[in-house]
């Protein structure tokens, strides 16, 4: 990032069923996502002021019986397509 290379990170897609809930935002504007919560704490401790991320506003669903985060087959790929779109937008802008 210090060299001007755009950075984007994906937060968790586990226990998410609705890819329409994915959005690109700054890590410090996320909510609901347990992984984003941990990452915010770590980034703050390292004095990192911003990070573009994909995350979901959807409340996690218990798709695997509640014990282990699981992904429906299409949510990680949908997240990847959204990130790819954002990368292209960053390149051409």
């Amino acid at each position: 990032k210090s060299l001007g290379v755009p950075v984007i990170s994906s937060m968790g897609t586990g226990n998410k069923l609705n890819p329409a809930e994915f959005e690109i935002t700054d890590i410090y504007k996320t909510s609901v996502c347990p992984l984003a919560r941990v990452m915010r704490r770590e980034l703050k401790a390292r004095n990192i002021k911003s990070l573009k991320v994909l995350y979901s506003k959807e409340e996690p669903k218990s798709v695997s019986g509640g014990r282990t985060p699981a992904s429906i087959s299409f949510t990680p790929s949908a997240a990847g397509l959204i990130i790819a779109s954002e990368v292209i937008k960053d390149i051409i802008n």
Side-chain angles (χ1 to χ4, degrees):
K1 194 168 181 178
S2 65
L3 296 175
V5 177
V7 176
I8 187 168
S9 183
S10 179
M11 297 296 100
T13 61
N15 295 346
K16 306 295 180 160
L17 299 175
N18 185 357
E21 296 277 347
F22 289 136
E23 83 175 42
I24 304 288
T25 191
D26 187 80
I27 186 78
Y28 293 103
K29 295 179 180 176
T30 61
S31 62
V32 180
C33 179
L35 178 58
R37 185 178 309 117
V38 171
M39 291 301 297
R40 283 193 308 268
R41 184 173 36 243
E42 288 295 319
L43 292 169
K44 189 174 182 179
R46 296 164 198 254
N47 202 32
I48 296 172
K49 305 274 186 226
S50 68
L51 175 66
K52 185 186 285 191
V53 297
L54 172 130
Y55 89 108
S56 176
K57 296 179 281 186
E58 178 183 14
E59 291 287 340
K61 307 289 189 276
S62 180
V63 295
S64 65
R67 297 192 183 255
T68 306
S71 293
I72 298 300
S73 61
F74 54 84
T75 55
S77 56
L81 289 170
I82 294 166
I83 289 172
S85 171
E86 191 69 18
V87 168
I88 297 302
K89 286 190 263 181
D90 284 349
I91 290 170
I92 62 174
N93 286 331

